[in-house]
Protein backbone atom coordinates (compact mmCIF):
# COMPACT_ATOMS: atom_id res chain seq x y z
CA UNK A 1 0.00 0.00 0.00
CA UNK A 2 1.19 3.49 -0.80
CA UNK A 3 1.77 5.67 2.26
CA UNK A 4 -0.35 8.68 3.12
CA UNK A 5 0.63 11.86 1.31
CA UNK A 6 1.62 10.20 -1.95
CA UNK A 7 -0.26 10.70 -5.21
CA UNK A 8 -0.88 7.97 -7.75
CA UNK A 9 1.83 9.06 -10.16
CA UNK A 10 5.49 10.05 -10.19
CA UNK A 11 6.74 12.43 -12.90
CA UNK A 12 10.51 11.99 -13.40
CA UNK A 13 12.03 14.57 -15.76
CA UNK A 14 13.48 13.39 -19.06
CA UNK A 15 14.26 16.84 -20.47
CA UNK A 16 14.14 20.37 -19.08
CA UNK A 17 15.16 23.39 -21.15
CA UNK A 18 15.12 26.94 -19.80
CA UNK A 19 15.84 29.93 -22.03
CA UNK A 20 16.16 33.24 -20.16
CA UNK A 21 15.22 36.00 -22.60
CA UNK A 22 15.24 39.09 -20.36
CA UNK A 23 16.84 40.02 -17.04
CA UNK A 24 14.63 41.44 -14.32
CA UNK A 25 15.63 44.63 -12.47
CA UNK A 26 17.51 44.23 -9.17
CA UNK A 27 14.51 45.60 -7.25
CA UNK A 28 12.27 42.94 -8.84
CA UNK A 29 8.88 43.38 -10.47
CA UNK A 30 5.37 43.53 -9.06
CA UNK A 31 4.18 40.46 -10.97
CA UNK A 32 4.98 37.99 -13.73
CA UNK A 33 2.48 36.10 -15.89
CA UNK A 34 3.13 32.38 -16.41
CA UNK A 35 1.32 30.36 -19.06
CA UNK A 36 1.69 26.58 -18.81
CA UNK A 37 0.49 24.54 -21.76
CA UNK A 38 0.41 20.74 -21.75
CA UNK A 39 0.91 19.77 -25.37
CA UNK A 40 0.35 16.04 -24.96
CA UNK A 41 -0.05 13.31 -22.37
CA UNK A 42 0.30 9.99 -24.17
CA UNK A 43 1.89 6.59 -23.53
CA UNK A 44 3.17 7.62 -20.11
CA UNK A 45 4.87 10.80 -21.33
CA UNK A 46 4.00 14.48 -20.77
CA UNK A 47 5.15 17.38 -22.95
CA UNK A 48 4.78 20.80 -21.31
CA UNK A 49 5.66 24.34 -22.46
CA UNK A 50 5.99 27.36 -20.18
CA UNK A 51 6.11 31.05 -21.14
CA UNK A 52 6.80 33.75 -18.54
CA UNK A 53 5.89 37.36 -19.42
CA UNK A 54 6.52 40.61 -17.54
CA UNK A 55 4.10 43.48 -16.89
CA UNK A 56 4.60 44.88 -20.41
CA UNK A 57 4.04 41.52 -22.12
CA UNK A 58 7.71 40.95 -22.94
CA UNK A 59 8.93 37.36 -22.78
CA UNK A 60 11.12 36.84 -19.71
CA UNK A 61 11.70 33.08 -20.07
CA UNK A 62 10.67 30.03 -22.09
CA UNK A 63 10.80 26.44 -20.90
CA UNK A 64 10.10 22.97 -22.28
CA UNK A 65 9.61 20.06 -19.90
CA UNK A 66 9.29 16.41 -20.90
CA UNK A 67 8.47 13.94 -18.13
CA UNK A 68 7.31 10.39 -17.69
CA UNK A 69 4.04 9.70 -15.89
CA UNK A 70 4.59 6.42 -14.04
CA UNK A 71 3.02 4.70 -11.05
CA UNK A 72 4.33 6.12 -7.78
CA UNK A 73 5.35 2.64 -6.62
CA UNK A 74 8.29 2.89 -9.02
CA UNK A 75 9.69 5.64 -6.79
CA UNK A 76 8.60 4.41 -3.34
CA UNK A 77 9.63 0.75 -3.48
CA UNK A 78 11.89 0.08 -0.45
CA UNK A 79 14.05 -2.53 -2.21
CA UNK A 80 15.09 -0.12 -4.98
CA UNK A 81 16.20 2.45 -2.37
CA UNK A 82 18.33 -0.11 -0.50
CA UNK A 83 20.47 -1.17 -3.44
CA UNK A 84 20.38 2.20 -5.26
CA UNK A 85 18.99 0.78 -8.49
CA UNK A 86 16.44 2.58 -10.61
CA UNK A 87 13.24 0.93 -11.79
CA UNK A 88 12.60 3.21 -14.77
Amino acid sequence: MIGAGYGRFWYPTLLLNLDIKKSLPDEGVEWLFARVDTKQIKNGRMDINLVILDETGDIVALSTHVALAVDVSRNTNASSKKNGQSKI
Side-chain angles (χ1 to χ4, degrees):
M1 172 148 175
I2 298 170
Y6 287 105
R8 286 186 55 207
F9 295 98
W10 173 44
Y11 304 96
T13 297
L14 298 175
L15 171 75
L16 180 61
N17 290 325
L18 177 61
D19 187 9
I20 306 295
K21 297 289 192 179
K22 178 181 178 180
S23 296
L24 297 175
D26 290 338
E27 65 275 7
V29 294
E30 186 173 345
W31 61 269
L32 294 171
F33 175 79
R35 179 179 180 156
V36 180
D37 185 21
T38 303
K39 294 295 183 186
Q40 179 170 268
I41 301 174
K42 185 176 181 181
N43 297 327
R45 179 178 152 154
M46 295 189 326
D47 299 300
I48 302 167
N49 288 330
L50 170 70
V51 178
I52 299 176
L53 306 171
D54 66 9
E55 297 168 321
T56 64
D58 288 340
I59 296 174
V60 174
L62 302 170
S63 180
T64 301
H65 186 191
V66 179
L68 292 178
V70 296
D71 190 274
V72 73
S73 66
R74 294 180 83 172
N75 190 33
T76 58
N77 185 320
S79 65
S80 66
K81 289 183 179 178
K82 279 192 254 180
N83 63 22
Q85 295 191 7
S86 174
K87 294 185 110 188
I88 296 180

